[in-house]
Amino acid sequence: MHNPGSTANPERFPAQDRLADGAQFIAGRLTKGTSGRTHTVVDPATGEEVYTYDLAGADDVDAAVAAARAAFPGWAGATPGERSDALHRFAAVLAERAEEFARAESLQCGKPLKLTREFDVPGTIDNTAFFAGAARHLQGQAAGEYSGDHTSYVRREPIGVVGSIAPWNYPLQMAAWKILPAVAAGNTIVLKSAELTPLTSLLFAQAATDAGIPDGVINIVTGTGREAGERLVGHPDVAMTSFTGSTAVGKRVAELATATVKRLHLELGGKAPFVVFDDADLEAAANGAVAGALINTGQDCTAATRAYVQRPLYEAFVERTAALMETVRLGDPFAPGTDLGPLVSHAQRDRVAGFVDRARGYARVVTGGEAPGGDLGKGAYYRPTLVTGAAQDSEIVQSEIFGPVLVVLPFDSDDEGIRLANDTPYGLAASAWTGGVYRAGRATREIKAGCVWINDHIPIISEMPHGGYKASGFGKDMSAYSFEEYTQVKHVMFDNTAVARKDWHRTVFGDR
């Protein structure tokens, strides 16, 4: 429920009245959670409480799954054109409410408004429009007589009820990445949003209903991972689980999903390398490193976190990158001049600070490495931080920090640069910076990551897949490849001979 004592400013949260009835969206309407416990969304820029709601309990998860199961036959039986039309209407509603979504996302996450207006919200609208079109292209292998006596073809069929869990760093976009391919393929879904950041997931589901997507097709439960998340993943009526989050929690999700033999899709942690060869454009690389490391205050699993710079450019790169970091403007996410907002919470800020403080014992903090004071002291802010002198096997190089911290290390040969890039358990994203076509080609072939950018870092598009190697998980979000996650592939074979006794029957009885 909306907290009557909330200090939320209507200009910062214009959609708050839409969420007055609770933070569980089940069968087309908002309801209150039944866990008996509440949670408060806090504006991380100010520390002010903005929305208090009742957390979901097991009964809410069961109700949401039942709603999704009831809606499945009708939605799965709709034609691709009907599902496509509904998603096109959905995209139009999202576009009409774009500013409401941008402000709600900035409020709960601390993202600068220019980021939510120019990246999170338009990207989500584009995703919705993409899957509206993709719904009509669930293709299988063309029909053919592959055995000579039979005609075969492939059907793609929806799996059933999908139970997904989204993280707090991109709550709107991650909700879209989970929901859209699932429903475009004819599934229904229950999404557990992160309890820190539920606002835009709930607004997203409301917009879907307002666009005419049937009740029960999209459901949201907002609760803790231990209570609501584990109940959802382990639910016997959930046919598939899709999870985005840390590798440690992903392992627990996999354990629970395996117990009921569910389809499983995992998008987990990352520690993206940023490899700068000695023929790279130094200015482009330094600008790319700062933008790639600091987007969303570094709370991005594809953020540039480990810069490996070939020795001839190393000192100049460190100097230029530090200078650029020092120009980044921290401030109120709603202020026009703000480049970088706070981390999502004070707990996350303290976690990031802990990594940097421990690194002081074995590395050099070139710039940043502290929380600002003054007017920003009440928020969960942390200055852009550049670290050098760390060993490859040190914590700050190997562990996912999830904050505005970039570590820079030198390398000598091309072989060494690529080896160091691959030297973590993760493999979600990477970039290579070079003016040489052969170096670029080698980097794309040999760096083990689900996405390798050349002379850029971070951009994503709806038409291309997103997903990792190694400990970063498996499966793809976005693009037509995501239908591999959310459909069953069925082989159908017709006999063309009308012969009662087939030649192959002799292997069981009789002679030719």
Side-chain angles (χ1 to χ4, degrees):
M1 62 181 178
H2 178 61
N3 181 1
S6 170
T7 57
N9 183 331
E11 291 186 4
R12 294 169 82 91
F13 190 16
Q16 60 186 283
D17 289 342
R18 294 188 191 276
L19 303 182
D21 294 327
Q24 318 304 323
F25 191 85
I26 300 171
R29 67 186 186 93
L30 287 168
T31 63
K32 298 177 182 178
T34 62
S35 70
R37 293 176 290 110
T38 62
H39 187 84
T40 298
V41 177
V42 174
D43 178 350
T46 64
E48 295 176 347
E49 298 182 355
V50 297
Y51 181 77
T52 298
Y53 64 92
D54 298 289
L55 286 161
D59 290 345
D60 303 303
V61 175
D62 292 348
V65 172
R69 186 179 182 189
F72 176 70
W75 185 246
T79 67
E82 289 168 339
R83 291 198 293 268
S84 176
D85 288 347
L87 288 170
H88 277 300
R89 294 193 302 271
F90 187 15
V93 174
L94 293 173
E96 291 170 1
R97 300 178 185 175
E99 185 65 13
E100 291 185 2
F101 276 97
R103 289 179 175 271
E105 194 80 333
S106 289
L107 179 71
Q108 66 181 354
C109 299
K111 300 170 186 274
L113 198 55
K114 67 178 180 180
L115 177 63
T116 58
R117 280 176 173 165
E118 298 175 26
F119 183 76
D120 298 71
V121 175
T124 299
I125 296 169
D126 185 72
N127 259 216
T128 308
F130 171 81
F131 280 108
R136 302 186 105 152
H137 297 281
L138 286 167
Q139 297 175 346
Q141 190 170 355
E145 286 68 51
Y146 298 98
S147 79
D149 291 337
H150 305 83
T151 295
S152 290
Y153 67 88
V154 170
R155 290 175 55 87
R156 282 195 178 275
E157 298 178 349
I159 294 172
V161 176
V162 177
S164 292
I165 299 176
W168 48 256
N169 59 328
Y170 287 103
L172 176 59
Q173 286 198 309
M174 294 297 101
W177 287 14
K178 300 301 183 194
I179 290 169
L180 294 170
V183 302
N187 301 284
T188 57
I189 190 166
V190 179
L191 176 85
K192 192 200 86 67
S193 60
E195 60 269 32
L196 285 175
T197 56
L199 304 180
T200 48
S201 300
L202 295 166
L203 294 173
F204 189 73
Q206 275 190 326
T209 295
D210 293 344
I213 292 177
D215 294 350
V217 172
I218 298 172
N219 307 274
I220 308 290
V221 292
T222 309
T224 66
R226 185 170 297 278
E227 187 169 4
E230 295 205 358
R231 180 73 168 193
L232 180 61
V233 174
H235 201 290
D237 291 333
V238 169
M240 174 186 166
T241 290
S242 178
F243 170 79
T244 295
S246 71
T247 298
V249 177
K251 291 177 181 178
R252 175 59 178 161
V253 169
E255 291 174 0
L256 292 168
T258 299
T260 49
V261 198
K262 294 184 189 336
R263 176 79 65 88
L264 183 61
H265 168 215
L266 298 174
E267 198 265 272
L268 306 176
K271 191 70 177 175
F274 187 100
V275 183
V276 183
F277 293 100
D278 59 13
D279 63 347
D281 182 322
L282 177 62
E283 188 67 14
N287 278 271
V290 173
L294 300 186
I295 187 170
N296 201 34
T297 319
Q299 298 165 125
D300 187 311
C301 50
T302 64
T305 58
R306 299 178 290 138
Y308 296 102
V309 184
Q310 205 152 24
R311 191 82 60 178
L313 289 184
Y314 177 75
E315 294 294 342
F317 178 88
V318 170
E319 181 180 354
R320 183 63 180 138
T321 302
L324 286 171
M325 278 191 172
E326 289 167 3
T327 70
V328 173
R329 300 165 297 181
L330 275 68
D332 179 357
F334 290 82
T338 294
D339 295 322
L340 200 70
L343 289 114
V344 74
S345 68
H346 287 81
Q348 181 64 15
R349 190 270 313 275
D350 293 346
R351 178 181 181 275
V352 170
F355 276 101
V356 176
D357 290 343
R358 290 189 295 275
R360 295 180 196 278
Y362 55 80
R364 175 188 171 217
V365 177
V366 178
T367 189
E370 62 182 3
D375 293 340
L376 301 181
K378 292 182 180 179
Y381 291 90
Y382 197 75
R383 295 194 186 282
T385 300
L386 187 68
V387 176
T388 62
Q392 174 66 13
D393 62 356
S394 62
E395 178 192 51
I396 204 163
V397 173
Q398 293 292 327
S399 298
E400 188 172 30
I401 300 171
F402 233 55
V405 180
L406 175 65
V407 184
V408 187
L409 297 89
F411 70 92
D412 292 303
S413 68
D414 289 15
D415 288 349
E416 182 188 16
I418 290 175
R419 178 181 63 77
L420 292 171
N422 287 327
D423 184 29
T424 69
Y426 300 108
L428 186 59
S431 65
W433 298 73
T434 176
V437 64
Y438 296 109
R439 269 178 163 167
R442 181 184 180 187
T444 62
R445 292 190 304 272
E446 296 187 15
I447 294 176
K448 305 303 180 186
C451 175
V452 179
W453 293 283
I454 300 297
N455 296 328
D456 208 344
H457 195 107
I458 284 296
I460 55 174
I461 50 175
S462 297
E463 292 84 358
M464 289 291 114
H466 176 86
Y469 286 25
K470 303 190 294 185
S472 292
F474 48 82
K476 300 300 179 184
D477 289 311
M478 299 197 298
S479 82
Y481 290 96
S482 64
F483 288 131
E484 302 291 338
E485 315 301 321
Y486 294 100
T487 56
Q488 299 273 21
V489 175
K490 177 185 287 184
H491 170 217
V492 177
M493 178 178 270
F494 285 89
D495 170 61
N496 293 332
T497 66
V499 173
R501 185 151 178 164
K502 308 292 193 290
D503 186 52
W504 72 267
H505 289 178
R506 75 185 188 280
T507 62
V508 177
F509 65 96
D511 300 318
R512 186 183 296 272

